[in-house]
Amino acid sequence: MRKVAWSVAHQEFIISDHYYFSKLQKYAKQSEIHIDEVDDLEKFPKYDTVIFNYPEIPFEADEVDFIQDLVKSGKTVGIFGYYKNEDRIADTCNTLSKRFGIHFNGDTIIDNINNHEGDNLLVLTGDTYNLPENIKKVILACTDSLTTTKPEVRPLLHGENTAESKLGKETILFAEYIDPSGGRFIAGGTCVFWDNYSIDLYNNKNLSLYILSR
């Protein structure tokens, strides 16, 4: 069984919030993925995957070193933000993600053509890279964009050619750093792609389970 640490060490959204994440919990259990909320970084090595979903407390240098060592040991770490740099979320994510060559831009992505129910903040994209065949189109609500700065980083999801960044950035929306050990660091511009609203739309369930099972 895959073991996932859902961090609450940096004041993240809790997965035990039934209103937002009960479906994700259910689908993970059905897929034999065990998820614990974990409030102590020292416990992370016991898990295969570590998730930071909207962390509100910046990461200290020694914590970044510790998390980098996890990736170097073959673990998967994921961090997911939100649009507009609300609560300084992009800045907070960058205190960790910059070590892996991924920068959260703190912008807003809109798409006036490829969107869900006419809402240009509910961005749809089928521009996928390095993902399984069962992930063809996803909805990314209220998403930030990412800039990559290392050759070891590859895109996972890019906005369609109709997507626009309010800051004029390239619309890379999800990306991952691949370590020589096989460990990886996954970053996403939105933390609500796997909430109860989005997870049953398009291929978001498949994307969610893919990330948790890496």
Side-chain angles (χ1 to χ4, degrees), residues 4 19 21-22 36 45 54 57 61 76 79 88 99 113 123 143 159 193 200 210:
V4 175
Y19 184 81
F21 295 115
S22 60
D36 289 326
Y54 202 95
I57 299 173
T76 294
I79 189 167
R88 303 193 68 84
R99 178 70 63 88
I113 305 297
V123 173
T143 187
F193 68 99
D200 284 332
Y210 173 79

Side-chain angles (χ1 to χ4, degrees), residues 1-20:
M1 177 176 282
R2 187 82 177 177
K3 292 182 65 179
V4 175
W6 187 281
S7 176
V8 292
H10 279 254
Q11 203 170 310
E12 295 88 350
F13 290 151
I14 58 174
I15 193 172
S16 58
D17 187 318
H18 185 83
Y19 184 81
Y20 289 105

Side-chain angles (χ1 to χ4, degrees), residues 95-175:
T95 61
L96 175 60
S97 66
K98 65 183 180 182
R99 178 70 63 88
F100 299 93
I102 301 174
H103 179 80
F104 286 74
N105 291 318
D107 60 353
T108 298
I109 303 299
I110 62 169
D111 196 318
N112 293 319
I113 305 297
N114 291 287
N115 62 56
H116 182 66
E117 295 186 340
D119 187 332
N120 66 6
L121 288 173
L122 304 182
V123 173
L124 299 182
T125 184
D127 195 359
T128 66
Y129 301 84
N130 307 300
L131 290 171
E133 285 295 314
N134 67 353
I135 304 172
K136 298 186 185 307
K137 180 180 280 191
V138 297
I139 178 172
L140 302 176
C142 301
T143 187
D144 188 2
S145 70
L146 310 171
T147 296
T148 64
T149 61
K150 289 185 177 182
E152 298 89 350
V153 180
R154 62 186 193 176
L156 297 177
L157 293 165
H158 195 286
E160 300 282 358
N161 58 16
T162 51
E164 305 171 43
S165 161
K166 291 285 191 176
L167 295 181
K169 302 291 187 180
E170 183 182 356
T171 58
I172 299 172
L173 307 180
F174 276 50

Side-chain angles (χ1 to χ4, degrees), residues 3-92:
K3 292 182 65 179
V4 175
W6 187 281
S7 176
V8 292
H10 279 254
Q11 203 170 310
E12 295 88 350
F13 290 151
I14 58 174
I15 193 172
S16 58
D17 187 318
H18 185 83
Y19 184 81
Y20 289 105
F21 295 115
S22 60
K23 290 182 180 180
L24 178 59
Q25 289 180 287
K26 179 178 71 173
Y27 296 145
K29 185 176 181 180
Q30 290 172 350
S31 299
E32 297 189 336
I33 299 170
H34 177 80
I35 305 176
D36 289 326
E37 288 178 351
V38 180
D39 62 2
D40 182 356
L41 268 67
E42 296 295 327
K43 297 178 181 177
F44 288 163
K46 300 177 183 178
Y47 294 85
D48 305 299
T49 300
V50 178
I51 299 296
F52 299 100
N53 205 53
Y54 202 95
E56 295 191 61
I57 299 173
F59 293 83
E60 301 291 339
D62 60 335
E63 294 178 314
V64 177
D65 291 342
F66 183 81
I67 294 164
Q68 184 177 36
D69 286 343
L70 291 178
V71 174
K72 287 181 177 180
S73 72
K75 308 288 187 181
T76 294
V77 175
I79 189 167
F80 304 96
Y82 207 50
Y83 74 153
K84 296 196 302 185
N85 202 15
E86 287 201 352
D87 299 326
R88 303 193 68 84
I89 185 62
D91 297 336
T92 298

